[in-house]
Amino acid sequence: MPRVSVLIPAYAASKFIAATLDSVAAQTYRDFEIIVVDDGSPDETKLTVDAWLARTGTPGACVRRPNGRIAAARNTGLQAAKGELIALLDHDDFWTPDKLARCVA
C-alpha cells in the first residue's frame, strides 16, 4: 500500500490545529505522514504541532516558512513530502476516519 503524505498549510491555527490533527490520527488507513506548513503564523502554531506530534508519536513534521499564502505553503509541503500519494487538508477542517482508506482504494 502506498504511503500518503497529508499536507496541511496552517496560519494562526494554534487554537484548533490539534483537532484537525486528531482527525488524521483517527484514520483507518495507517500508512501516512503529516506535513504541517506553518506559513508565518503570529501565534504558537508550530509549537502546538510539534508538541502534538511528539505526544502522539505520529510520523510527520512541522515546517515553518515566512508567510507566502496557501499556494506557497502547499509547495513547501510538497517538497518535504515522502509519500507516494498526497492528500490536502486545510488547518480548520476534519476528516471522517475512512477518508484515506476510501481515497487510496
Side-chain angles (χ1 to χ4, degrees):
M1 300 300 284
R3 173 165 250 199
V4 178
S5 294
V6 179
L7 304 185
I8 306 172
Y11 180 79
S14 66
K15 291 183 181 174
F16 43 83
I17 190 74
T20 298
L21 296 170
D22 287 342
S23 80
V24 178
Q27 293 301 297
T28 58
Y29 186 87
R30 301 303 306 159
D31 194 4
F32 63 84
E33 66 173 349
I34 298 173
I35 307 295
V36 176
V37 179
D38 180 352
D39 195 33
S41 296
D43 65 2
E44 303 297 320
T45 295
K46 183 167 181 4
L47 292 174
T48 302
V49 172
D50 287 342
W52 186 93
L53 289 169
R55 179 174 38 81
T56 64
T58 303
C62 184
V63 179
R64 184 157 167 83
R65 56 162 285 121
N67 185 264
R69 317 277 273 169
I70 194 166
R74 285 186 175 152
N75 286 334
T76 298
L78 284 170
Q79 292 171 346
K82 296 180 181 118
E84 291 83 18
L85 299 175
I86 302 295
L88 301 176
L89 177 61
D90 290 335
H91 68 233
D92 57 352
D93 287 341
F94 310 108
W95 282 347
T96 59
D98 64 342
K99 162 71 174 175
L100 287 180
R102 294 180 69 185
C103 287
V104 170

